[in-house]
Structure formats: C-alpha cells, structure tokens
Amino acid sequence: MNRTTQLPDRRTVRDRKGAAPATPPPARTAPRRRPTSQQWAAWGFLAPVTLYLVLFYAYPLYRNVDLSLRNYTVRSFVQGDAPFTGLENYQTVFDDPTFAPALLHTVVFTVVSLVFQYAIGLALAVFFTQHFRLSATLRALFLVPWLLPLIVSASTWSWMLNSDSGVVNAALHAVGIDAVNWLTSPSWSLTSVIIANVWIGVPFNLVVLYSGLQSIPASLYEAAALDGANAWQRFWRITFPLLRPVSAITLLLGLVYTLKVFDIIWIMTKGGPADSSTTFATWSYQLGFGNLVPAFGPGAAVGNLLVVAALVFGLVYLRVQRKQYAS
Amino acid sequence: MTTATTVTTPRPRPRPRRGRSLGRTTWWQTATGLALTAVMLFPVYWMLNVSFTRDQDMRKSPPDWFPMNGTLDGYRAVLDQQLPYLATSLVIGLGTVVLTVALAAPAGYALAKLRPRGGGVLSFLFLVAQMIPGIIMAMGFYAIYLQLGLLQSVPGLIVADSTLAVPFAVLIFTAFMSGIPSELLQAAQMDGAGPLRTFWSVVLPMSRNSIVTVSLFAFLWSWSDFIFASTLVNGGANEPITLGIYQYIGNNNQEWNAIMATAVVASLPAAVILVLAQRYVAAGVTAGAVKD
C-alpha cells in the first residue's frame, strides 16, 4: 500500500515544501561508480558534523558510562580520580527501594500516555478528514500544546490541578464531586502527570495520523459506501487496517519520546510525593542533581538503563521503518 | 506520504471524501470542531486568564472564569524581572539556529548528493542519536563542562541545545536535498563550479524551505529547553526564560499571575511560529515520523 502513498509528490522539489522521508535513499544507489574526488568532497562536507557527533554525543555518552562504573564523590568528580567500582552502582540501583516503583511508573506512564494519545489523536484525525468549514484552521490550533515550551504547559497544569484553587477541582465541585489532591496525593500524582503528558502528545499523533489518512484513496471509501458499509465499518475495515504502518511508526516513535519525558513530571511533582510519580528519567535526575549530595554514579547508572530501553525500542522503530520502506 | 502539500494547504481539496461532506452537514461538524478545539485549548486560555487575575482573586473559590477585574500586575512583574532571562533565551536560540544549520546543511548535501562511503552508517547514527534521553546528555555535558570550566556559559548551553536539533536537521536536509534534480548539480559542475560553489550557489538557495523548517525547530527547542539549562547554567548569570519561570514557581508560590504572565510571554515564539509558519511546522512533524 505504500506505493500509493508516494504518488502525490514525486514531481519537483518545489512541490515538496521541505517534508521529507526519514530514511534517506542514497545508500540504495550505491552500485554506481563513486569517483575519489567526490569522496573527498563528501567527507569534507561531513567532517564538521562527524566531529560534532563524536565530541557531543559519543563523548558525553562515554562519560556517562564511565560515571556509572566509578564511585564518584563531589571531590573526585572535580579531580577525576574516582576509583573504578565495576557494576557496583548498578547493584546499588537495583537494590534501591525506589527501583521497583520507578520501573512500574515508567511502564504505566509510557503505556497509558501512548494509548490515550494515539486513540484521541486518531479520533481527531478521522474527524478532521471531513473537510468542514474552518477545519484547517482548527487543526492548526491543535498544534498549540505541542509547540508550547514544556515548562509553560507543566506550570499551567500545576495551577489548574492545584488542590485548593485549581480550576479542575472547582469544576468537579460544580458537578458535586469532592476535591481531589491531584498533585499532593500519592494515589493521584501519576495520573495527573499522565493527563498533562497526553494533552501535550495528542497534536503529534493528530498531525502524523492525519497525513497518513490522506494517503488512503478516497475511492475505497466510495466503493465501501456503495456496498452499504456504514461509517463504523468503514473505519474498522478500511481506515484502521490501511493505517497500520503509520500507526506502528507513530506509536514506536511516541514510545521512544515518552520514555525520556522528564520536564513535565519534574516541574509538576518532582517525582513525588514520596516517589509516587518517579520514573527512571526523574529518578536519574534526582540522584545526579536533585539532592544536596549528588550521587552521580547511581544517577548515571539509572540513565544508562533508560538509554538501553530507548535504544531497544528505537532499533525496533528503525527496523519497522526500513521494512515499510522496502515494501 | 508527507504531502506537506495536503497537510498544509489552507483550503480543502475540492474532491469529495467519504461522500458526506457535501455542505449539508458541515455546520454541526464545524460546531463540534470548535467545541473540541475549545476543550483542547482550555489550558492555554486558563494561562491567559490567570495572568490577568488580581492577587486577591487568585484563591477565590470558585475561580473567575473571565478576568473581570483584570490587572496587568503580572506583566509588569515580567518587565521588571524577566527581561534578562528573555534576552538570554533569544541569544541562545539564535546561536543554536546558526550552529545547527551550519553543521547540518553541508552534511545533508553530502549525504543526499555526494554518496559518501559510510554515509548510510552516519545517517543511522543520527537516527539513533535522536533517541538518547536528554538527561543522559545533560549528565555527560555536566561532567565535561565541569572540567572545561564551561558551566554557566552561553556558548556551552548553545552547543548542548544544538544536540536537540542537529540529528533532526541532518535528516530533514538529507531528505530535502535528495529531491534536488541531479541534472542541476551536474550543470553547475559543467560550468566549472566545484562542490563548495555548487553547495553555496545552487543547493543552499534551493533549500530555503528546509532551512526555514530546521531553523524554526532549532529555535523552538532551544527556547523551550529546560533540562540542559537546569543542569548546565543553573544559578549563574546566564539563565534562560525556562529557568526564570521555574525559579518563579519555587520562590513566590503566591503570585501566579506573574508566573502565568511569564509563561504567556515565553509562549510568544510558539504563537508567532504557528501564525506565520504553520506549514513548515506540519512539514517538520510529519517528516520525522512518516516516510515518503
């Protein structure tokens, strides 16, 4: 089905307006001759960014691994003579009473956020394919939550969810529901940060799924309508199956992004109260920067576990994307 | 797919979809759309509302749904206290844009058009680099900057912030520049232009749209960055607006009109971008996720 998606804009550069495939095709044209002078030129152009990649990605990553394998204190952090301790930091992290809750919260936060973001995003995307008056404008407005700085969204939600003066509790009160301690009760804090995160993530799902819906040929719907399929059947028999490749990409990318969500949780609850909304991302920050006595080693260890998880799902994402590209 | 053309074209294509939208029923669809948008944007409205609310009305129950007795105290506080933070954010944002485009545009050209040996591996590394959690990068940068004495410095934060945008930018440039017809580049070569000249006089001018997309995102991401700011320049003289808001929340828990007014001001770049450059934004969102 991906062939059909390519038809519209394979014409000129001008038509494409900067939108682009995530996987560049150059490798596929490899069999042709590569002149040596062009190789020099190519790597000349690539040299700055390669150096950059080594200095500012590889080296910080390496430093992070190094941090996690040594017993750093503030003094040895500055002097750089911390003793090598192998996997001791990881052992500390695994034995920490925060480990199990943080793992659970990370999984719950990620899965629940993804499910709601995707479901709401898809429903809105389908709704917006109907091209009614103002639909393009309203769809553009839906991008707002995604464009706002996270600190803005998070502090706005903090105040809206405030126990005493927040508008959410005021609304609940108006319909006769008791006030909820959204941010200060351990049983609600995770829900609160998930609500805010879903709000932030819906626009991304909407835009990507909407552009996926555009590639489903209208003739299919017309044929189904002629055969007497109702809207519900058209959605489940045509839209949903044909959207599967785009859905897979959206969800996997969302997964990688949601795993590393830090700002929202930290600003709204700092992972608390009593670690009730701590995820690996906030725990890592808490260990490294959140206390008076920083525990860089364990903090880096937690962070590295997060990197491994993100990379595993990231590689799955790339595999799925490659497969779709090849098909 | 991508079709930024369809995503971004302001008016719907004329062909009927789903057979329903023939004009008869669109009024209730518009009404539903308006209602949904209102729900979605309620937090934004609330931010505006609170930013105009007087201190004495702040803890009223139930809260005022409209700023009836509006005040500009919050915005006055922004002018008094937050301007240095905003200036720092602006400098850092522009620095990040320049650094990102300068690094990524040549790389995109090479990957798209010059078929370097090992180019596939490099593109792959950029995809992977995008997936590294910010907290990891922050901790690594902290360790390095501590030794180099680059903590609290603007260039340090610019470099760190650019890591948010460079991989994305390389991918966008590569994808866009592979759409430039090779005949054009060959013609330039015939006329005696070397690779550098071709890049500067042919490729770059043709890539205006992708430069805009990349610049917008690079600016927005560095403007919004909190994690690098809070680890690398915390407590120094070079704190950006995100830290300004964060410390506001921590220090004076009471003046939420000032906090929300700062939040409104911090949202202005996003608003401007949405109004002036929406098509570039939609192009950027889909480009990262959906293949051509």
Side-chain angles (χ1 to χ4, degrees):
Chain A
M1 76 138 266
N2 283 310
R3 289 290 104 179
T4 60
T5 66
Q6 296 192 351
L7 290 178
D9 58 342
R10 274 277 150 160
R11 282 156 310 186
T12 61
V13 186
R14 255 163 232 297
D15 280 344
R16 304 182 35 151
K17 293 201 178 127
T23 318
R28 301 204 295 165
T29 52
R32 275 189 284 157
R33 203 167 55 88
R34 304 177 191 225
T36 325
S37 66
Q38 189 175 312
Q39 285 299 308
W40 280 106
W43 279 100
F45 280 107
L46 286 173
V49 89
T50 310
L51 188 69
Y52 177 86
L53 203 59
V54 172
L55 281 181
F56 299 121
Y57 279 95
Y59 189 62
L61 265 182
Y62 160 76
R63 276 310 301 261
N64 216 56
V65 173
D66 179 65
L67 274 179
S68 76
L69 296 178
R70 291 173 190 274
N71 180 18
Y72 273 98
T73 60
V74 177
R75 200 183 57 86
S76 59
F77 198 81
V78 178
Q79 297 181 341
D81 59 351
F84 184 82
T85 53
L87 295 176
E88 207 169 275
N89 283 322
Y90 290 88
Q91 194 61 46
T92 313
V93 166
F94 285 128
D95 292 341
D96 196 296
T98 311
F99 182 81
L103 179 63
L104 180 72
H105 296 155
T106 307
V107 172
V108 171
F109 179 82
T110 308
V111 172
V112 177
S113 291
L114 277 183
V115 168
F116 279 96
Q117 285 172 0
Y118 175 78
I120 298 172
L122 180 58
L124 287 168
V126 171
F127 176 71
F128 275 113
T129 52
Q130 293 175 347
H131 292 309
F132 46 88
R133 193 180 294 272
L134 285 181
S135 64
T137 313
L138 296 183
R139 193 154 41 78
L141 285 175
F142 263 82
L143 282 174
V144 167
W146 187 76
L147 291 174
L148 290 182
L150 286 173
I151 181 117
V152 168
S153 316
S155 48
T156 304
W157 276 100
S158 294
W159 184 241
M160 284 173 59
L161 293 173
N162 186 285
S163 298
D164 305 318
S165 319
V167 65
V168 174
N169 273 352
L172 289 180
H173 182 75
V175 295
I177 300 174
D178 284 344
V180 175
N181 289 324
W182 293 102
L183 299 173
T184 48
S185 130
S187 41
W188 282 100
S189 58
L190 191 61
T191 313
S192 305
V193 293
I194 289 175
I195 291 173
N197 189 50
V198 168
W199 183 75
I200 291 160
V202 162
F204 172 77
N205 284 261
L206 166 63
V207 172
V208 176
L209 293 171
Y210 179 84
S211 95
L213 287 175
Q214 294 297 306
S215 65
I216 300 178
S219 57
L220 279 177
Y221 291 106
E222 284 151 21
L226 282 180
D227 288 343
N230 61 30
W232 186 251
Q233 286 167 327
R234 287 197 299 259
F235 176 78
W236 285 111
R237 300 280 166 80
I238 300 175
T239 311
F240 199 66
L242 286 185
L243 204 58
R244 243 184 42 199
V246 179
S247 299
I249 293 293
T250 315
L251 283 171
L252 279 168
L253 211 55
L255 181 62
V256 174
Y257 288 150
T258 312
L259 273 179
K260 53 181 188 180
V261 166
F262 158 78
D263 311 42
I264 308 162
I265 303 178
W266 187 257
I267 295 159
M268 286 178 72
T269 68
K270 286 209 166 67
D275 286 343
S276 60
S277 55
T278 295
T279 64
F280 275 4
T282 61
W283 189 28
S284 171
Y285 185 89
Q286 173 83 50
L287 288 168
F289 300 99
N291 301 325
L292 281 176
V293 182
F296 290 114
V302 174
N304 286 332
L305 296 177
L306 198 59
V307 174
V308 171
L311 287 188
V312 166
F313 291 116
L315 292 178
V316 174
Y317 159 76
L318 291 177
R319 234 186 109 82
V320 170
Q321 204 195 36
R322 280 285 147 83
K323 229 165 78 185
Q324 288 181 15
Y325 203 72
S327 69
Chain B
M1 162 152 353
T2 70
T3 48
T5 30
T6 42
V7 175
T8 56
T9 315
R11 59 182 64 240
R13 280 177 294 175
R15 75 190 160 97
R17 288 178 68 93
R18 311 278 163 94
R20 284 201 271 165
S21 55
L22 295 176
R24 235 171 350 101
T25 54
T26 54
W27 69 266
W28 71 260
Q29 289 170 335
T30 305
T32 316
L34 283 171
L36 289 171
T37 313
V39 171
M40 189 70 178
L41 294 190
F42 180 76
V44 179
Y45 168 71
W46 201 248
M47 169 174 79
L48 279 165
N49 184 20
V50 173
S51 76
F52 290 115
T53 304
R54 289 184 305 179
D55 282 340
Q56 62 261 45
D57 297 338
M58 200 57 77
R59 303 226 166 233
K60 220 160 91 176
S61 175
D64 288 329
W65 292 84
F66 306 98
M68 300 303 257
N69 303 303
T71 171
L72 288 174
D73 285 352
Y75 291 89
R76 247 170 246 131
V78 175
L79 284 180
D80 285 349
Q81 298 160 28
Q82 300 287 341
L83 284 185
Y85 297 100
L86 286 166
T88 308
S89 274
L90 197 65
V91 170
I92 288 168
L94 294 177
T96 309
V97 168
V98 171
L99 182 61
T100 303
V101 172
L103 282 166
Y109 169 54
L111 289 172
K113 286 295 170 199
L114 299 178
R115 294 183 288 120
R117 217 167 270 125
V121 177
L122 202 62
S123 315
F124 175 77
L125 287 179
F126 277 114
L127 280 170
V128 173
Q130 268 184 310
M131 293 161 181
I132 302 168
I135 176 71
I136 306 304
M137 300 292 292
M139 220 173 275
F141 270 115
Y142 183 82
I144 298 167
Y145 282 9
L146 188 69
Q147 281 172 340
L148 298 180
L150 276 172
L151 287 174
Q152 323 293 355
S153 80
V154 168
L157 189 55
I158 289 177
V159 167
D161 278 350
S162 72
T163 62
L164 299 168
V166 165
F168 167 83
V170 171
L171 297 181
I172 293 272
F173 279 129
T174 309
F176 181 84
M177 288 171 181
S178 29
I180 295 178
S182 296
E183 293 78 18
L184 260 176
L185 306 185
Q186 279 156 11
Q189 224 168 11
M190 295 288 194
D191 291 344
L196 207 58
R197 183 74 202 273
T198 313
F199 172 69
W200 187 255
S201 309
V202 182
V203 176
L204 267 192
M206 287 190 72
S207 310
R208 209 182 53 98
N209 280 349
S210 49
I211 295 176
V212 174
T213 304
V214 163
S215 305
L216 287 180
F217 278 93
F219 185 84
L220 206 55
W221 286 337
S222 78
W223 179 272
S224 312
D225 163 70
F226 171 73
I227 193 161
F228 284 130
S230 76
T231 46
L232 301 179
V233 298
N234 195 10
N238 293 316
E239 297 190 328
I241 189 64
T242 46
L243 281 191
I245 299 180
Y246 185 65
Q247 278 154 13
Y248 234 149
I249 303 176
N251 293 343
N252 57 9
N253 226 320
Q254 302 310 311
E255 290 169 30
W256 273 88
N257 50 13
I259 297 173
M260 288 291 107
T262 318
V264 170
V265 174
S267 310
L268 286 181
V272 170
I273 284 168
L274 192 73
V275 172
L276 297 184
Q278 189 234 328
R279 65 194 183 109
Y280 298 105
V281 175
V285 182
T286 37
V290 187
K291 67 183 205 62
D292 197 39

